[in-house]
Amino acid sequence: MAAMTGGGNRARPGEVSLAHRGVLFMDEMPEFPRPTLEALRQPLEAGQTTVSRAAAHITYPARFQLVAAMNPCRCGYLGDGARECGRAPRCGEDYQGKLSGPLLDRIDMVVEISPLTPRELSWAPPGEASSFVAARVAAARAIARARYGEDGASTNAEALGDLIVLAGEAKAFLEMAATKLRLSARGFVRAMRVGRSIADLAGIEEVQRGHIAEALGYRHKMPGRTALQGAG
Ligand SMILES: [Zn+2]
């Protein structure tokens, strides 16, 4: 755990601080020990991490973008059309259960990717060039920076909720969906921020209902929670 968040016998910054202002990539996230995963909650929320020593507390900066990958179950075949998970659905429930609700609540976007068939791999048309995507992202970030000013938040992810203006219809939709999905207060604000980024990418000044719906579609569906289907 110290390697991740800092500390140890002679206090030193951990991976979350080494990734400050950059990306922390975790492959096969559920394979990390539970205490290490739970220790991510504080830096994900506060952008810093505090190490307690006998004599003092040491705080390290840790404002990073978390990118994590995982299989849907331990054997990796759950939901795969070509092969079958022999222990479904337990295999997936046990594996996905290693990520706690409070940790998932701090992850804004969950995207499921199905494996490609050999035919798709060889015949898929080339996607959009990364340079085009990068230019779009840079333009959206410039809009956000101009909105918050030099001393304000540097990204939508850091913006306070009251700085994110939703169209009346979008606000009503989010409130209704939040009740249906049993969103936490944190999830509510995070959905607003993601919606803000989607609107910025589209070059639209006021966050619309469609942007909020898309943002909510990226939130992890916890087992037992109501899906958004029919929410509007
Ligand atoms: Zn499996």
Side-chain angles (χ1 to χ4, degrees), residues 73-78 85-87 91-92:
C73 68
R74 186 177 285 280
C75 77
Y77 298 128
L78 190 75
C85 167
R87 290 184 49 240
C91 191

Side-chain angles (χ1 to χ4, degrees), residues 72-157:
C73 68
R74 186 177 285 280
C75 77
Y77 298 128
L78 190 75
D80 187 337
R83 300 193 60 168
E84 215 175 305
C85 167
R87 290 184 49 240
R90 273 299 293 276
C91 191
E93 285 164 6
D94 290 351
Y95 201 57
Q96 294 180 30
K98 288 171 185 279
L99 306 181
S100 72
L103 177 60
L104 285 166
D105 205 27
R106 290 162 169 81
I107 296 178
D108 289 333
M109 301 171 77
V110 175
V111 182
E112 264 186 58
I113 301 168
S114 341
L116 293 175
T117 63
R119 190 180 163 78
E120 285 168 326
L121 276 175
S122 51
W123 291 101
E128 197 178 12
S130 297
S131 55
F132 284 104
V133 181
R136 245 188 355 250
V137 171
R141 293 201 60 167
I143 294 171
R145 257 197 312 278
R147 180 167 50 238
Y148 304 125
E150 278 299 304
D151 302 323
S154 59
T155 62
N156 289 327

